[in-house]
Amino acid sequence: MADSKSSILKKEISFGKKAKYPTKKSMNFIRNEVAVQNRHAIEAFIVFLVLLAFFVRFAVLLPIQKVNEKQAEYESKEQTIQELKDKTSSYSDVKKAYDDKIGSFLTDDERLCLDRPDMLTMMEEDILPSVSIQSISITGDQLTVVTGTTTLDVVSSVLNTLQQDSRNSYATVTTAAASDQDTVHVIANYTIHFASEAAQAGRSSDSSDSSDSSGVSSNESSGDSSTSSSNSSSTSSEGGTN
């Protein structure tokens, strides 16, 4: 009993020992998870807005802008066409009145004069590439051309060209020697009768039909000639055998 009391007293009056406290070198702070989630949501929304802006710009606005430009261009063209139609609306009436006046006041020879540019064009295309021209005379629908010095081969070639031209009804030629000493070179005098537009159209169709028929006849003639040649060769071989 005495021993237990003495030990208690010893503990109570003992001041030499210090109390031990827990030690810690780091501090824990409270983390606000809600604020972090809100920041992530705002960042994602900003990215979405940027992507949406690009999509609207390139996938919606630009195509609509192009469509509007094409629509405006179409309307402008349509307006121009309508203006041209309005300007030419009376063309048929004016042409009819002009044709009536031309038919009333022009003589037959004056009507033939309307073909003069076509005659000169025909002459430039059919004659001038082969031989020079000394003089030209036009009376009605008849064209007389005197050429320079040339050869008979050239004269024949030019005449064939004139006869094949659907713009002409027919053509003839006369030649004269260039000089008494020169019997090779001649001067040609062509007489060309120009055809009307209806005659030209008819002659063009006739020439196409004749070319088709000539092709068929040439094939037939070539077949006949080959048959006759084979018969003659067989006959000659039989004679040699006898």
Side-chain angles (χ1 to χ4, degrees), residues 5-29:
K5 289 181 179 180
S6 61
S7 60
I8 293 172
L9 292 174
K10 288 180 181 180
K11 290 180 180 179
E12 291 178 355
I13 62 175
S14 177
F15 297 102
K17 295 181 178 181
K18 295 181 179 181
K20 294 182 178 180
Y21 298 98
T23 58
K24 191 174 183 181
K25 297 182 179 179
S26 61
M27 296 178 65
N28 294 330
F29 295 95

Side-chain angles (χ1 to χ4, degrees), residues 160-175:
N160 184 53
T161 302
L162 292 171
Q163 291 175 344
Q164 296 297 325
D165 196 330
S166 61
R167 293 172 290 187
N168 304 324
S169 294
Y170 63 92
T172 59
V173 63
T174 58
T175 58

Side-chain angles (χ1 to χ4, degrees), residues 8 30 36 68 88 98 119 139 147 211:
I8 293 172
I30 298 174
V36 173
N68 292 334
T88 58
Y98 176 79
M119 289 182 178
T139 304
T147 67
S211 63

Side-chain angles (χ1 to χ4, degrees), residues 42-58:
I42 293 172
E43 292 175 353
F45 183 71
I46 293 174
V47 172
F48 171 75
L49 289 179
V50 172
L51 295 177
L52 181 63
F54 277 101
F55 175 78
V56 172
R57 170 65 177 171
F58 294 102

Side-chain angles (χ1 to χ4, degrees), residues 72-86:
E73 184 178 356
Y74 171 77
E75 292 177 355
S76 176
K77 297 292 184 182
E78 190 175 18
Q79 183 178 0
T80 303
I81 292 173
Q82 186 62 39
E83 292 176 356
L84 293 176
K85 288 182 178 179
D86 295 339

Side-chain angles (χ1 to χ4, degrees), residues 140-188:
D141 62 347
Q142 180 176 318
L143 177 66
T144 303
V145 180
V146 179
T147 67
T149 303
T150 183
T151 61
L152 291 175
D153 293 336
V154 175
V155 172
S156 177
S157 176
V158 172
L159 179 62
N160 184 53
T161 302
L162 292 171
Q163 291 175 344
Q164 296 297 325
D165 196 330
S166 61
R167 293 172 290 187
N168 304 324
S169 294
Y170 63 92
T172 59
V173 63
T174 58
T175 58
S179 63
D180 296 336
Q181 295 79 14
D182 189 356
T183 59
V184 177
H185 295 87
V186 295
I187 295 175

Side-chain angles (χ1 to χ4, degrees), residues 60-76:
V60 179
L61 295 181
L62 287 180
I64 292 176
Q65 183 179 358
K66 291 181 180 179
V67 170
N68 292 334
E69 291 176 355
K70 295 297 182 182
Q71 181 69 23
E73 184 178 356
Y74 171 77
E75 292 177 355
S76 176

